[in-house]
Amino acid sequence: MIGLPSGTRVWLVAGHTDMRKGFDGLAAVVQTALAENPFDGHVFVFRGRRGDIIKVLWFDGQGLMLLAKRLERGRFVWPQAADGRITLSAAQLSMLLEGIDWRMPTRTQSPQLAA
């Protein structure tokens, strides 16, 4: 995962998006549906109807970057809301990109009390 500058917000666009859209189409969705500026340096994540493809739109200060990922097995975990947006942390974005359920991650080992 590309390291995001501090203060970068990650927006998850609820619902599903037409994955045929490219830079301009997704930037238009950010402007109209979210009322945000796609050139502010924030990250916007979109999911396709089937749930196995996501696209990430990010302006890094020099230009827009469009990243896409398709899972060969499984689906990306997505909120049930049909419209709206949800903010994620950079750690949650990393889990999402790995196909991990970012909503309720569990630790592999519980902390032990000192004896």
Side-chain angles (χ1 to χ4, degrees):
M1 176 66 195
I2 298 170
L4 300 175
S6 63
T8 301
R9 297 189 77 175
V10 178
W11 295 103
L12 200 69
V13 181
H16 60 269
T17 304
D18 182 356
M19 288 290 104
R20 295 174 293 181
K21 292 182 188 237
F23 291 98
D24 297 330
L26 294 175
V29 170
V30 169
Q31 290 174 332
T32 57
L34 301 180
E36 292 287 336
N37 182 356
F39 303 101
D40 276 348
H42 300 303
V43 174
F44 301 94
V45 185
F46 305 87
R47 188 183 104 156
R49 182 179 300 272
R50 290 190 337 214
D52 63 340
I53 298 174
I54 61 171
K55 286 189 176 180
V56 179
L57 186 70
W58 178 39
F59 183 75
D60 67 353
Q62 296 176 336
L64 280 173
M65 291 178 38
L66 182 59
L67 309 168
K69 182 167 184 176
R70 182 182 69 198
L71 292 177
E72 295 302 320
R73 289 188 298 266
R75 302 283 181 255
F76 289 103
V77 175
W78 215 249
Q80 296 289 47
D83 60 352
R85 59 189 179 180
I86 296 166
T87 185
L88 298 180
S89 68
Q92 288 172 319
L93 175 61
S94 293
M95 286 186 275
L96 173 68
L97 292 173
E98 292 295 325
I100 299 170
D101 188 349
W102 54 270
R103 299 168 301 175
M104 297 269 304
T106 58
R107 296 188 183 275
T108 57
Q109 179 180 357
S110 300
Q112 299 290 327
L113 292 175

